[in-house]
Amino acid sequence: MAGCATERSQTPNIVFILADDLGYGDLGCYGAIGVETPNVDALASQGVRCTDAHAVASTSTPSRYALLTGQYPWRKAGTDVAAGNAKMIISPDQFTIADMLKSRGYSTAAVGKWHLGLGSETGKQDWNGTLDEDLSDIGFDYHYIMAATSDRVPCVFIEDGKVVNHDPDHPIEVSYKANFVGEPTGRDNPELVYNLRSSHGHDMSIVNGIGRIGYMKGGGRALWKDETIADSLTAHAVKFIEENASKPFFLYFATNDVHVPRFPAERFRGASAMGLRGDAIAQFDWSVGEILKTLERLGLEKNTIVVLTSDNGPVLDDGYQDQAEELVGDHRPSGPWRGGKYSAYEGGTMVPMIIRWPGHVEAGSEEGRIISQIDGFRTLADLLGAEIPSDAAPDSRNYKDAEYVMEMSNDHTLSVRDKDWKYISPSNGPEMIQWGPKIETGYRPYDQLFSRQTDPGETVNVAAKNPETVARFKQIVDKER
Ligand code: NG6
Ligand code: CA
């Protein structure tokens, strides 16, 4: 970063805010139209706004896996979009970014969307007792999480390995194979879907009047209400900061916003001109504001690094009738980039990234160099002088040494970006996503090369004219795969 000092003796707090499906163009400071994000914009004006920052993958699970482990997700089986009853995808013997920070004396917490599996065996979790493997096995002192996504069962919060507000009269059962006898589903009982109807999929168990992916039974008073998820997650994040104000802490705060089902609190309804998706962005901005206010109130602003980014690119219709497509107007969720969530095009992995560290990062600055989230691990370790085991974070580099970044699409197509070019490997996949979202995939059965300088929107394939460049990128893909 411009002016990033590297005093090794320091242990600044770290608040890592990870939005879900928030696109490059979805924030005021990145050109959003139709929704205001004053808190995020203020953060940007006090820090650096990156204009070429990338998630590793264009969906959640692999993107988050890379971020927390420093390993490319295609090197590890089972890192695709996880079911709500998937087993722990990061194994206890892996050294995570949380382990690294713990080794430097940090208190560590994960609050929010998890989506990296729980328990030691898929489908065998005891949701009514204590999970036999959880985030405490991979470096987090505290967790208050949703197992997967808000559109996947189980629809309950989990705190330190146990379901919050567990209701013994309504034991929880979860299956991703078959429904439980006598339980309604969105498919068979559309009359029970009163809050948000599906546009595709999302027609299995119904919770809070919304159809989900997967089947669940029970839950009772432990079931979440979608309209208070942001309140609940934010309150727990704030509480963790308060309780750890006197020692170095790391907070991984992964919001549910703006993933589907978008069903923000009543007070955000109509906050944007774009319906529920825009209102969810306003709600995200509110959560950010609460975190920033807390840091200020506790006098922690100066000694805290705040990073704000997203797990993958944006999508409008991702399976619910929330009118995201109809009401988007002139707003461009992906900003100037082609494609979106799931894509091999830049819209899949190009994400907003804001970093604030008063006195170390120049306020109101911009950083145009190419950055990958996977490099956060080693960059931070270097900054803090942390020793990491020789086999840990194998693919994480100090961002200053990173000449190119790797990107993975939904079908595992690998792309490489450097400051001059974008290369997409051949894929036999379809040109458009097939199951509902209207998104260009970027898949073609031949090499694609785009000039970053003259064609950032990836419209003219210049692979044939630049065989040597293509060969160089193919070599990188071979090496990294
Ligand atoms: C898709 C879901 C989508 C979303 C996505 C994962 C359907 C029809 N679509 O399969 O709604 O949940 O998976 O999103 O089920 S992610 O941001 O967590 O990767
Ligand atoms: Ca996501």
Side-chain angles (χ1 to χ4, degrees):
M1 253 9 71
C4 230
T6 52
E7 294 94 301
R8 301 199 146 204
S9 56
Q10 290 183 325
T11 46
N13 306 308
I14 296 154
V15 174
F16 191 89
I17 304 173
L18 187 62
D20 199 348
D21 297 359
L22 187 77
Y24 184 90
D26 276 330
L27 297 166
C29 54
Y30 282 88
I33 302 168
V35 62
E36 288 177 4
T37 56
N39 293 303
V40 175
D41 299 353
L43 184 73
S45 73
Q46 296 154 6
V48 58
R49 191 179 69 92
C50 303
T51 55
D52 203 0
H54 297 257
V56 171
S58 58
T59 57
S60 153
T61 303
S63 169
R64 288 158 201 256
Y65 177 83
L67 188 81
L68 294 175
T69 66
Q71 184 185 41
Y72 288 132
W74 52 89
R75 297 197 199 288
K76 168 118 172 173
T79 52
D80 285 318
V81 174
N85 65 350
K87 68 170 182 182
M88 289 272 286
I89 294 170
I90 303 174
S91 46
D93 57 5
Q94 278 178 279
F95 189 82
T96 66
I97 197 166
D99 287 315
M100 184 270 286
L101 291 164
K102 249 175 100 81
S103 78
R104 297 294 288 126
Y106 282 72
S107 301
T108 56
V111 175
K113 172 180 176 173
W114 180 235
H115 211 190
L116 285 162
L118 290 166
S120 64
E121 244 188 291
T122 294
K124 295 273 165 29
Q125 295 88 352
D126 179 4
W127 303 107
N128 303 294
T130 305
L131 295 166
D132 67 344
E133 260 179 34
D134 64 24
L135 283 67
S136 63
D137 297 299
I138 55 167
F140 288 100
D141 297 318
Y142 173 72
H143 61 271
Y144 182 89
I145 54 169
M146 309 160 70
T149 56
S150 55
D151 58 351
R152 285 175 174 73
V153 303
C155 300
V156 293
F157 297 112
I158 293 154
E159 185 173 37
D160 290 341
K162 290 197 194 76
V163 169
V164 177
N165 284 328
H166 183 260
D167 189 342
D169 294 335
H170 299 275
I172 298 168
E173 291 179 78
V174 173
S175 169
Y176 274 74
K177 290 197 178 124
N179 192 20
F180 298 96
V181 176
E183 293 295 310
T185 62
R187 198 179 314 132
D188 296 335
N189 307 84
E191 74 284 1
L192 300 179
V193 178
Y194 53 83
N195 268 331
L196 203 54
R197 289 184 179 280
S198 96
S199 55
H200 57 266
H202 303 108
D203 57 359
M204 293 167 240
S205 286
I206 303 166
V207 175
N208 192 31
I210 299 176
R212 313 281 166 166
I213 307 170
Y215 300 100
M216 97 174 268
K217 185 179 172 171
R221 63 165 189 247
L223 295 171
W224 68 49
K225 293 254 184 284
D226 300 77
E227 50 274 49
T228 58
I229 290 175
D231 284 339
S232 181
L233 299 181
T234 305
H236 285 82
V238 165
K239 187 156 165 265
F240 173 79
I241 296 174
E242 287 170 348
E243 288 173 358
N244 291 276
S246 63
K247 45 192 167 188
F249 63 82
F250 166 53
L251 169 64
Y252 171 79
F253 180 49
T255 66
N256 169 51
D257 293 315
V258 299
H259 198 276
V260 296
R262 301 167 187 128
F263 205 69
E266 192 60 44
R267 65 187 189 279
F268 297 106
R269 303 295 169 96
S272 79
M274 294 189 284
L276 292 167
R277 185 172 187 278
D279 297 351
I281 295 174
Q283 180 169 267
F284 170 74
D285 184 69
W286 168 82
S287 293
V288 172
E290 292 303 294
I291 302 288
L292 299 181
K293 267 198 276 180
T294 306
L295 295 174
E296 194 182 344
R297 169 163 58 82
L298 299 171
L300 299 172
E301 243 179 339
K302 271 218 149 117
N303 195 33
T304 301
I305 302 176
V306 179
V307 181
L308 183 151
T309 188
S310 176
D311 69 338
N312 52 250
V315 51
L316 292 176
D317 180 353
D318 207 13
Y320 291 95
Q321 296 177 33
D322 56 16
Q323 291 197 289
E325 267 176 24
E326 295 85 335
L327 299 175
V328 72
D330 294 331
H331 175 75
R332 296 179 68 190
S334 298
W337 319 114
R338 190 167 180 180
K341 180 175 181 175
Y342 309 114
S343 297
Y345 287 133
E346 290 297 275
T349 53
M350 184 68 107
V351 286
M353 186 184 284
I354 297 166
I355 304 170
R356 184 184 81 177
W357 191 16
H360 298 263
V361 169
E362 198 189 326
S365 59
E366 246 184 52
E367 174 61 69
R369 86 183 269 158
I370 193 161
I371 293 173
S372 172
Q373 289 176 353
I374 199 168
D375 296 331
F377 194 139
R378 195 164 298 265
T379 304
L380 209 50
D382 288 353
L383 185 74
L384 302 172
E387 300 289 330
I388 62 179
S390 57
D391 58 346
D395 302 311
S396 183
R397 311 151 293 186
N398 192 301
Y399 83 97
K400 288 180 191 148
D401 305 330
E403 307 256 289
Y404 58 82
V405 308
M406 301 294 299
E407 310 170 339
M408 186 184 85
S409 77
N410 188 55
D411 82 340
H412 287 212
T413 296
L414 293 188
S415 300
V416 190
R417 259 290 322 279
D418 70 6
K419 66 182 188 358
D420 299 319
W421 303 100
K422 162 74 175 274
Y423 166 74
I424 308 180
S425 308
S427 160
N428 291 317
E431 293 188 13
M432 297 292 294
I433 294 293
Q434 297 293 296
W435 63 85
K438 297 182 189 63
I439 293 179
E440 295 183 296
T441 59
Y443 305 154
R444 298 290 186 279
Y446 42 79
D447 293 313
Q448 295 179 84
L449 184 72
F450 302 101
S451 162
R452 168 68 180 177
Q453 308 303 335
T454 60
D455 183 24
E458 300 170 90
T459 58
V460 184
N461 181 10
V462 294
K465 284 193 197 140
N466 298 275
E468 279 159 29
T469 306
V470 170
R472 179 163 59 86
F473 283 120
K474 282 172 101 72
Q475 252 173 28
I476 294 175
V477 169
D478 286 348
K479 181 179 113 198
E480 301 288 17
R481 196 186 278 283

